[in-house]
Amino acid sequence: MNDWMFSEAERAAVYRAIHTRRDIRSTFLPQPIPDAILWRLLGAAAAAPSVGFMQPTEIIVIRDTEVRRQIHAHFESVNRAAAEVYTDADRRAYDALKLAAIIETPLNLCFTCDTTTQRGRGLGRQTMPETAVFSTVCAVQNVWLAARAENIGVGWVSILEPETVKTRLDIPAHLTLVAYLCVGYVSDFPAQPELETKGWEHARDLTEMVYFDRYGVRQP
Ligand SMILES: Cc1cc2nc3c(=O)[nH]c(=O)nc-3n(C[C@H](O)[C@H](O)[C@H](O)COP(=O)(O)O)c2cc1C
């Protein structure tokens, strides 16, 4: 076996991380994440692929209680407005969901993307400029999977207004806010997505998501 090859056990571990990763909101514990582990997670972000190797991602590590309180207050007001879109049973279902754990987690991570950087010299971005932001999303996913392997939960909060978060965190205007994550140890990793358990949405069938050679063509 070459040293670049994964053993069967390593392969199984990677797929286990992928399939048991969850968006966590409810099972967080307050204990802090040691710095050495935090830096492993951040290293996973830095190791992500990026278009033209532009590495446009910067991350704000947020531990300060007051900063988290401010972001949480902002989330609460945006979430109240978001709930207004739903009526009747949908509204009751929405209100019963827990959609962020900004205060309960000891660590929040805010991911920004610098779409203006000259790094990578524009390679791969001429026809698809959005690939800069895609690159930051790859960094987020790396952290999410690495966190799973560290037995650490992550919850992505997008019920936020990017400009408000940028102001609160002193993020320069030219940066794009991509992701806000709540991160912490957990008492449990649920087997199913919480939105599925609570009846909000169900998982798609894999075969329903895949075509062959042309859109719409199912497996022969
Ligand atoms: C871009 C993005 C934004 C998300 N925003 C939120 C959010 O604001 N609040 C929340 O509770 N979950 C959020 N999630 C988590 C999804 O609800 C979750 O990934 C989905 O229900 C599937 O569950 P799983 O991640 O446990 O497999 C977000 C996920 C992604 C990828």
Side-chain angles (χ1 to χ4, degrees):
M1 192 165 103
N2 292 315
D3 55 9
W4 52 264
M5 288 182 166
F6 275 44
S7 68
E8 209 162 308
E10 288 167 334
R11 186 161 44 252
V14 171
Y15 280 111
R16 180 162 179 240
I18 290 169
H19 289 293
T20 64
R21 181 211 52 78
R22 290 274 72 84
D23 185 88
I24 304 286
R25 309 88 188 248
S26 307
T27 60
F28 282 114
L29 302 169
Q31 80 216 51
I33 292 170
D35 271 0
I37 295 175
L38 169 63
W39 281 103
R40 287 210 290 260
L41 297 181
L42 298 172
S50 63
V51 63
F53 201 22
M54 75 182 289
Q55 292 191 292
T57 304
E58 291 176 324
I59 302 166
I60 305 172
V61 175
I62 305 162
R63 289 184 280 214
D64 184 83
T65 311
E66 183 48 36
V67 175
R68 284 186 291 121
R69 230 196 299 276
Q70 283 184 21
I71 300 291
H72 175 73
H74 170 63
F75 160 78
E76 294 259 276
S77 84
V78 175
N79 197 36
R80 267 194 300 277
E84 298 296 329
V85 169
Y86 304 101
T87 52
D88 308 325
D90 281 351
R91 174 63 192 268
R92 284 191 292 281
Y94 186 91
D95 286 342
L97 296 172
K98 176 158 175 54
L99 297 172
I102 297 163
I103 299 290
E104 301 95 302
T105 47
L107 176 72
N108 294 178
L109 296 176
C110 181
F111 286 68
T112 64
C113 177
D114 184 356
T115 61
T116 70
T117 181
Q118 295 308 304
R119 277 191 53 88
R121 293 184 277 154
L123 191 154
R125 273 192 287 153
Q126 292 179 26
T127 50
M128 293 184 69
E130 61 274 35
T131 48
V133 167
F134 295 171
S135 300
T136 298
V137 175
C138 290
V140 174
Q141 178 71 349
N142 263 15
V143 170
W144 211 338
L145 290 173
R148 177 63 190 89
E150 301 278 5
N151 300 314
I152 288 171
V154 169
W156 186 326
V157 189
S158 55
I159 306 165
L160 297 167
E161 279 166 10
E163 289 311 312
T164 306
V165 175
K166 282 173 67 177
T167 305
R168 300 262 154 88
L169 300 180
D170 295 337
I171 295 171
H174 70 281
L175 298 185
T176 304
L177 183 93
V178 176
Y180 193 96
L181 306 184
C182 304
V183 183
Y185 287 105
V186 294
S187 58
D188 184 34
F189 271 89
Q192 279 180 297
E194 206 169 307
L195 292 188
E196 194 170 37
T197 325
K198 298 214 167 132
W200 183 264
E201 194 51 272
H202 63 276
R204 290 180 78 180
D205 232 35
L206 175 59
T207 52
E208 193 189 281
M209 299 162 68
V210 181
Y211 304 113
F212 290 84
D213 299 323
R214 298 267 190 288
Y215 189 88
V217 181
R218 299 290 184 193
Q219 188 161 26

